[in-house]
Amino acid sequence: MRTAANRGVAKLFPAHVGGIQYLKPLLAVLPGARVMATGGVTVDNATDWLAAGAFSVSIGSDLYRDDDVAGGVARLRARLDAGTG
């Protein structure tokens, strides 16, 4: 992880296995690391990952769950704009 973070952005996959509680201590020992959380990140918890220090998140299957990608993106955008998790 350290090598990847030093070269750009490190991907934390599957993020849901360790969860946000894993990301926080990881970033404590890798200050300044840019970590993208993917795998288990949802529209509902994306802002929680960002608030915990993730540089970015990747949401895949959660956007397709209801076959309404545009609706999922709109929900996520509203959450990000509101700053809520």
Side-chain angles (χ1 to χ4, degrees), residues 43-74:
V43 168
D44 294 328
N45 70 17
T47 53
D48 296 333
W49 283 97
L50 294 169
F55 175 73
S56 64
V57 295
S58 173
I59 304 171
S61 59
D62 189 53
L63 289 177
Y64 295 98
R65 180 178 28 169
D66 298 323
D67 221 15
D68 180 18
V69 176
V73 171

Side-chain angles (χ1 to χ4, degrees), residues 1 10 17 21 25 28 41 45 51 53 55 60 63 65 68 70 72 76-77 79 81:
M1 176 78 70
V17 172
Q21 60 274 18
V41 179
N45 70 17
F55 175 73
L63 289 177
R65 180 178 28 169
D68 180 18
L76 177 59
R77 181 64 192 194
R79 294 177 80 80
D81 287 345

